[in-house]
Amino acid sequence: MAIGPNVYDAEPIPDSARTEIEHLLNSGDLFRYTASADSPVSLLEQEFAKRLGARYAVAVSSCSAALFLSLKALGLPRDARVLIPGFTFAAVPSSVLHADCIPVLCEVGDNYRIDMVDFEARLKDVQAVIISHMRGHTSDMDSIMALCNQRDIPVIEDAAHSLGTTWHGKNIGTLGKIGCFSFQSYKMLNAGEGGILITDDEEIFARAVIMSGAYEHNWKKHGHLLNSFTRWQNKLPLYNQRLSNLSAALVRAQIPELARRVRDGRANHDYVAAHLNQCAHLHVPEALAPEERAPDSLQFNLAAFSEAETLAFQAAARANGVPVQVFGLSTDNARAFWNWQFIGEIPDLPKTRAMLMKACDIRLPARLTRAELDFISEALLSAVDEVKTARRATG
Ligand SMILES: *Cc1c(COP(=O)(O)O)cnc(C)c1O
């Protein structure tokens, strides 16, 4: 069993976090609304909104909380139907249920992007859409926004794993009405847990702020939108999904690292992808033309592999030191829609299912060196050789 590069560990938190955290430890000032102004959470909201090019941001306890609050902030009635991709993380249908809405799944193609024919067909009786930029893959946002705008259907972007990606040069998360991001440890900015939503819509912002837990007049610490906030005062439930100052201090210290993480993550991805694409049995789908990616992982499809060969490939890659996840083949995988039994009846999505049975997933953090990337490419390419040669040998 070869030992490959460690792809699971996060990067160390930059030293610049220490001064702020030391201050928080000394003062005990961990709650975002204790200080009269400029708490670390408020500063994070201002910096994040400015950086992404959005008017408003609300920091919350997770991206799941951000998705839930987005649906609530849109004022969707109970049992509203919300279209989501059939390839996403279980947190997405869960947030829809949490908001008392009904998830409607649509097909995803073997390039990991929403199947636009199926998307359009399912739009007719939905009241909102959540687009998951799953593993940072951007679906055809031009068509999605045009179809949804024609029908006045609000679009929420689940950009949990897509921070730093752009579409026609515009930041992902600013294309729809609301964009949601995660600060969980596997994402671009790591606070262990946390999330943030961004929007240009003053009413949605005011509603999300209050429902996130800005009780009494704490909304005054979110800027000067007096009319919007007083309109919703005492009219909305307080779900208390706030972020703590400690988490915000951790995220803020990493914002200066973002450009480097995006640049190196993209270079690493493209380097390994070019190697894998030289093998006829492996295929890394191309990004759509308007997309500039910010990957921290790599997905590729196995071409002309039986299920037995796929399992043999996985075992060979593991023995070579590189664990590969095939979304549809691991038991209870949270990204395989047939495991979302909590949503009730699970639809038949043959395209998405076929993709999940051959789509391989490896982590590829920005901190990896060229030698480590070469190790990974070699491990995968020789795993293919082992499986396909063995097959020829046994006829
Ligand atoms: C991680 C992730 C989420 C959930 O984020 P949390 O902050 O853990 O709630 C949702 N959607 C996608 C695509 C993700 O990658």
Side-chain angles (χ1 to χ4, degrees), residues 129-181:
V129 165
I130 298 180
I131 300 298
S132 260
H133 303 300
M134 188 53 175
R135 286 290 191 276
H137 298 291
T138 310
S139 295
D140 180 356
M141 289 306 290
D142 294 347
S143 303
I144 288 170
M145 292 312 302
L147 289 166
C148 292
N149 287 341
Q150 280 158 20
R151 293 162 178 78
D152 252 335
I153 299 173
V155 173
I156 299 167
E157 286 180 82
D158 165 19
H161 214 151
S162 218
L163 179 58
T165 305
T166 58
W167 180 261
H168 292 299
K170 223 170 162 277
N171 283 307
I172 284 297
T174 64
L175 308 172
K177 210 158 200 49
I178 310 173
C180 301
F181 297 84

Side-chain angles (χ1 to χ4, degrees), residues 201-222:
D201 186 301
E202 183 175 317
E203 292 302 304
I204 287 175
F205 170 65
R207 289 169 58 86
V209 163
I210 290 176
M211 286 190 281
S212 75
Y215 62 92
E216 295 167 353
H217 293 160
N218 279 315
W219 46 258
K220 286 184 180 157
K221 294 172 184 167
H222 287 266

Side-chain angles (χ1 to χ4, degrees), residues 39-300:
S39 72
V41 179
S42 297
L43 293 173
L44 169 64
E45 289 169 341
Q46 291 161 30
E47 289 160 4
F48 197 88
K50 184 154 179 258
R51 188 172 181 104
L52 272 284
R55 287 174 73 189
Y56 311 111
V58 191
V60 291
S61 52
S62 67
C63 182
S64 299
L67 291 168
F68 162 78
L69 286 173
S70 300
L71 294 165
K72 285 289 176 192
L74 287 171
L76 296 173
R78 181 175 285 274
D79 291 339
R81 293 163 61 82
V82 178
L83 192 58
I84 66 171
F87 175 44
T88 183
F89 187 55
V92 175
S94 303
S95 311
V96 175
L97 292 185
H98 189 192
D100 295 318
C101 298
I102 299 173
V104 177
L105 276 50
C106 80
E107 287 271 34
V108 171
D110 62 7
N111 65 352
Y112 322 128
R113 289 163 175 86
I114 288 172
D115 179 301
M116 290 310 301
V117 174
D118 194 56
F119 179 84
E120 184 168 5
R122 291 183 203 259
L123 261 189
K124 60 180 173 305
D125 54 355
V126 304
Q127 280 143 289
V129 165
I130 298 180
I131 300 298
S132 260
H133 303 300
M134 188 53 175
R135 286 290 191 276
H137 298 291
T138 310
S139 295
D140 180 356
M141 289 306 290
D142 294 347
S143 303
I144 288 170
M145 292 312 302
L147 289 166
C148 292
N149 287 341
Q150 280 158 20
R151 293 162 178 78
D152 252 335
I153 299 173
V155 173
I156 299 167
E157 286 180 82
D158 165 19
H161 214 151
S162 218
L163 179 58
T165 305
T166 58
W167 180 261
H168 292 299
K170 223 170 162 277
N171 283 307
I172 284 297
T174 64
L175 308 172
K177 210 158 200 49
I178 310 173
C180 301
F181 297 84
S182 175
F183 301 137
Q184 186 264 344
S185 289
Y186 290 154
K187 315 299 160 100
M188 206 53 107
L189 300 174
N190 163 27
E193 302 282 0
I196 198 163
L197 72 82
I198 56 174
T199 184
D200 285 341
D201 186 301
E202 183 175 317
E203 292 302 304
I204 287 175
F205 170 65
R207 289 169 58 86
V209 163
I210 290 176
M211 286 190 281
S212 75
Y215 62 92
E216 295 167 353
H217 293 160
N218 279 315
W219 46 258
K220 286 184 180 157
K221 294 172 184 167
H222 287 266
H224 304 286
L225 303 171
L226 193 64
N227 290 339
S228 300
F229 285 120
T230 51
R231 182 166 26 256
W232 299 109
Q233 180 80 57
N234 301 337
K235 304 258 177 10
L236 297 169
L238 302 156
Y239 294 107
N240 284 10
Q241 296 177 315
R242 296 173 301 251
L243 193 71
S244 108
N245 280 339
L246 212 44
S247 306
L250 294 169
V251 177
R252 289 184 68 215
Q254 292 168 64
I255 289 179
E257 307 295 315
L258 187 56
R260 179 205 32 100
R261 289 181 187 173
V262 169
R263 184 194 65 218
D264 292 356
R266 185 182 298 156
N268 289 356
H269 174 279
D270 294 351
Y271 181 76
V272 176
H275 277 99
L276 301 191
N277 274 333
Q278 282 170 6
C279 169
H281 291 291
L282 302 180
H283 177 56
V284 183
E286 290 221 23
L288 302 182
E291 180 187 6
E292 282 271 18
R293 307 202 49 219
D296 60 3
S297 66
L298 174 81
Q299 290 71 44
F300 56 94

